[in-house]
Amino acid sequence: MPAEHSFDRYRMPDALWENLWKLLPVYKVIPSGGTPRRNFRSIADAIFYRLRTGCQWKAIPRSLPPGSTAHDYFKEWVRLGVFGQLWQLALAHYDELVGLDWRWQSVDAAMTKSPLGGEMTGKNPTDRGKQGTKRSIIADAVGIPLCLVISGANTHDIHLLEGTLEDGLKRSPRSQSQTTPSRKEHLCLDKGYDSLRVREMVSRMYGYVPHVRSRGEERKQKHRRKARRWVVERTHGWLNRFRGLIIRWDKKSANHLACAYITLKQYAVFG
């Protein structure tokens, strides 16, 4: 297959770009001239290509802007919070067109590698103490990612859960019709969260109806209908399709960009 055709699958979808464009800073034109700025659409394509493939910045194809240029813009847009805003804008669009389903939410954490270390990393207890990251997500009833927290791989799930719920209260846009006291919000967790402390924290501090499978219950019902929390496991699977996130060279902003893509994709804005 010719290289120009194989590249199309890694190009940032138009719908995602149109939302990103609204959030980019206004760059002043220098009257004295100088080197003109790169086309921002091509910069976005280069950033998205690296996110999908997991390649190094310097390995971005020559048909796109140089990796050093794309990396400079990526760092600037991260500093300005552009990708986090993009995800929130995607959630708002989804809520308006489809409606976020807050009734049955689920939360889960997943490990990713972080070979270069840095912030929000720690020794992975399940991978011979290598540097790693733990990614915690809350998803709605169909798997739309509502909030995401990144921490070191050695962070206990209970501590990470509290941070995730706090982040969910700050970031997730609930529609007015779904915030009435009569509509209870249920939170599904797996056996790793099976403790009295978790149940009390989820219900008393955050107002959820907790649904935590006990360890014995998990074994007895493994052949029955899947638990509602399976959707968040699928959401982690969607994120892991971005090779740039499996081995995490960047901080959480790359996850925010991927979450924005997943959210827009779920209401068929693009294929």
Side-chain angles (χ1 to χ4, degrees):
M1 180 180 293
E4 59 270 23
H5 294 298
S6 61
F7 164 72
D8 289 343
R9 61 180 296 195
Y10 300 113
R11 184 174 179 269
M12 179 176 285
D14 291 337
L16 188 59
W17 161 247
E18 289 167 5
N19 284 277
L20 176 61
W21 168 252
K22 300 174 186 176
L23 303 172
L24 295 183
V26 177
Y27 292 94
K28 296 180 180 179
V29 177
I30 302 176
S32 59
T35 304
R37 289 190 178 274
R38 286 275 181 173
N39 179 277
F40 292 145
R41 181 66 168 95
S42 64
I43 293 290
D45 281 340
I47 292 172
F48 195 73
Y49 178 91
R50 183 185 170 280
L51 179 64
R52 290 301 300 266
T53 64
C55 71
Q56 296 181 355
W57 288 103
K58 62 183 180 181
I60 290 175
R62 294 183 178 180
S63 57
L64 292 171
S68 58
T69 302
H71 189 211
D72 287 342
Y73 277 103
F74 176 77
K75 290 189 296 184
E76 181 177 4
W77 295 349
V78 166
R79 179 177 57 82
L80 296 173
V82 169
F83 300 115
Q85 297 172 41
L86 177 63
W87 180 19
Q88 295 306 304
L89 185 60
L91 284 173
H93 286 333
Y94 184 93
D95 198 25
E96 180 181 357
L97 295 176
V98 181
L100 291 166
D101 192 341
W102 301 92
R103 294 170 298 171
W104 287 92
Q105 300 169 45
S106 50
V107 62
D108 196 16
M111 300 283 196
T112 58
K113 296 181 179 180
S114 298
L116 297 184
E119 298 178 5
M120 295 180 287
T121 63
K123 293 183 178 181
N124 189 338
T126 65
D127 190 17
R128 296 170 292 173
K130 293 182 179 179
Q131 289 295 321
T133 293
K134 189 177 286 188
R135 178 181 65 213
S136 179
I137 293 178
I138 295 180
D140 81 341
V142 298
I144 300 299
L146 301 175
C147 67
L148 177 147
V149 169
I150 301 292
S151 186
N154 55 348
T155 304
H156 195 284
D157 283 346
I158 294 178
H159 299 307
L160 190 58
L161 174 63
E162 186 173 5
T164 307
L165 295 174
E166 287 287 346
D167 188 72
L169 289 178
K170 291 186 295 184
R171 293 180 177 272
S172 300
R174 285 166 168 77
S175 63
Q176 292 298 320
S177 61
Q178 294 173 319
T179 55
T180 59
S182 60
R183 292 182 66 91
K184 293 289 186 180
E185 293 183 4
H186 301 258
L187 187 67
C188 302
L189 306 101
D190 68 13
K191 61 185 180 181
Y193 300 93
D194 182 19
S195 73
L196 180 60
R197 177 184 172 186
V198 167
R199 296 173 191 272
E200 291 182 346
M201 178 180 69
V202 167
S203 59
R204 293 183 182 179
M205 294 179 59
Y206 299 98
Y208 285 104
V209 178
H211 297 266
V212 188
R213 293 289 192 188
S214 67
R215 299 179 188 276
E217 193 177 5
E218 286 275 317
R219 289 192 294 269
K220 291 178 182 177
Q221 300 190 3
K222 64 180 180 180
H223 298 302
R224 298 184 183 180
R225 182 175 64 86
K226 266 194 170 184
R228 289 180 183 269
R229 70 170 187 281
W230 74 270
V231 294
V232 72
E233 296 171 0
R234 183 181 63 180
T235 305
H236 278 293
W238 286 336
L239 286 170
N240 286 339
R241 293 179 184 177
F242 292 86
R243 298 290 300 175
L245 301 182
I246 296 177
I247 300 179
R248 193 185 67 93
W249 305 99
D250 299 312
K251 303 298 184 288
K252 62 183 179 181
S253 294
N255 284 277
H256 289 170
L257 176 56
C259 286
Y261 171 87
I262 289 169
T263 302
L264 290 173
K265 185 178 177 64
Q266 295 316 301
Y267 63 84
V269 170
F270 43 84

